[in-house]
Amino acid sequence: MHPTETIDRDSLRDDIPDFRAGDTVKVHVRVVEGSRERVQVFQGAVMRRQGGGVSETFTVRKVSFGVGVERTFPVHSPTIAKIEVTTLGDVRRAKLYYLRERHGKAAKIKELRGARGAKAALVEVEEAEIDAEDAEQVDDVEDIEVEEVDEVEEVDEVEEVDEVDGAEADGVEGVDESDVTAQAAGADDAAEEAADE
């Protein structure tokens, strides 16, 4: 540890969000004009972040009216009101100087979907905790025993129905079996005669 780091520790800001090269940020800068102070927003892509401690700086690039404008800000400067990270960039370099030669669509930085770093780990932990809570709720539901029903409703005894012996019942006349068989035999004979012709 360098001896000046203990002195500089009081000047470090703790409200700086986590951002790196490729991210799009809005830097709210305090501008003093005479006796009045106003906040001006500078929005662009972070080209680099370098240094450490109090002397750490970052460079933001934007294209204004077809002209590329780059500004370098000290991270822990009191002139910066706040820094907002609007989008996360999906880049593989720490310094994006190649953007200076590119124009239009070629200068576009691909956006990273989802969280990065500690936030991604935190999201995974939260999802794991939610899954664990769901599993506990399912176990609680399985542990609930179904209450057995001790009382069974008494079923009324069914009255026995008298069987009908093929004789006359409720105004229906009885039919002889010999008549039915004779009619069936006559029908068979007529079918055979029709088939022979």
Side-chain angles (χ1 to χ4, degrees), residues 12-81:
L12 297 178
R13 295 177 61 169
D14 56 353
D15 61 340
I16 304 299
D18 181 30
F19 67 93
R20 59 179 74 169
D23 296 349
T24 303
V25 295
K26 288 182 181 178
V27 184
H28 297 258
V29 184
R30 291 188 183 99
V31 179
V32 178
E33 295 172 337
S35 61
R36 293 188 303 169
E37 180 180 304
R38 65 182 177 87
V39 175
Q40 184 179 25
V41 179
F42 189 85
Q43 180 175 355
V46 178
M47 287 190 62
R48 67 180 178 186
R49 188 169 175 175
Q50 64 182 12
V54 176
S55 61
E56 185 178 5
T57 60
F58 65 100
T59 303
V60 179
R61 176 183 173 83
K62 75 172 183 176
V63 178
S64 180
F65 298 102
V67 179
V69 179
E70 294 180 9
R71 283 186 71 179
T72 301
F73 302 99
V75 174
H76 301 284
S77 172
T79 59
I80 295 177

Side-chain angles (χ1 to χ4, degrees), residues 21 47-51 92-98:
M47 287 190 62
R48 67 180 178 186
R49 188 169 175 175
Q50 64 182 12
R92 291 182 277 180
R93 297 187 184 191
K95 310 281 195 279
L96 305 180
Y97 298 132
Y98 65 88

Side-chain angles (χ1 to χ4, degrees), residues 94-107:
K95 310 281 195 279
L96 305 180
Y97 298 132
Y98 65 88
L99 292 176
R100 293 174 178 162
E101 288 85 35
R102 295 191 181 182
H103 304 283
K105 200 171 184 181

Side-chain angles (χ1 to χ4, degrees), residues 56-185:
E56 185 178 5
T57 60
F58 65 100
T59 303
V60 179
R61 176 183 173 83
K62 75 172 183 176
V63 178
S64 180
F65 298 102
V67 179
V69 179
E70 294 180 9
R71 283 186 71 179
T72 301
F73 302 99
V75 174
H76 301 284
S77 172
T79 59
I80 295 177
K82 68 176 178 176
I83 300 172
E84 287 181 56
V85 180
T86 56
T87 59
L88 302 177
D90 189 13
V91 294
R92 291 182 277 180
R93 297 187 184 191
K95 310 281 195 279
L96 305 180
Y97 298 132
Y98 65 88
L99 292 176
R100 293 174 178 162
E101 288 85 35
R102 295 191 181 182
H103 304 283
K105 200 171 184 181
K108 188 174 180 182
I109 297 172
K110 191 164 75 170
E111 184 178 347
L112 180 68
R113 303 286 181 178
R116 168 197 298 155
K119 287 184 180 178
L122 182 64
V123 168
E124 289 178 4
V125 169
E126 288 176 358
E127 289 177 356
E129 289 175 358
I130 291 172
D131 292 341
E133 289 176 7
D134 290 343
E136 288 175 7
Q137 290 176 355
V138 170
D139 291 340
D140 292 342
V141 171
E142 290 176 355
D143 290 343
I144 296 174
E145 296 179 5
V146 178
E147 296 180 7
E148 297 179 6
V149 179
D150 292 335
E151 299 177 7
V152 178
E153 296 179 6
E154 295 179 7
V155 179
D156 295 335
E157 294 180 8
V158 179
E159 297 177 4
E160 295 180 6
V161 179
D162 296 333
E163 295 181 10
V164 178
D165 292 334
E168 296 179 8
D170 296 335
V172 178
E173 295 179 3
V175 179
D176 290 337
E177 291 180 16
S178 59
D179 292 339
V180 174
T181 54
Q183 290 177 0

Side-chain angles (χ1 to χ4, degrees), residues 1-14 51-56 75-78:
M1 179 186 230
H2 201 268
T4 58
E5 289 182 10
T6 56
I7 300 168
D8 295 339
R9 192 177 298 147
D10 297 334
S11 301
L12 297 178
R13 295 177 61 169
D14 56 353
V54 176
S55 61
E56 185 178 5
V75 174
H76 301 284
S77 172

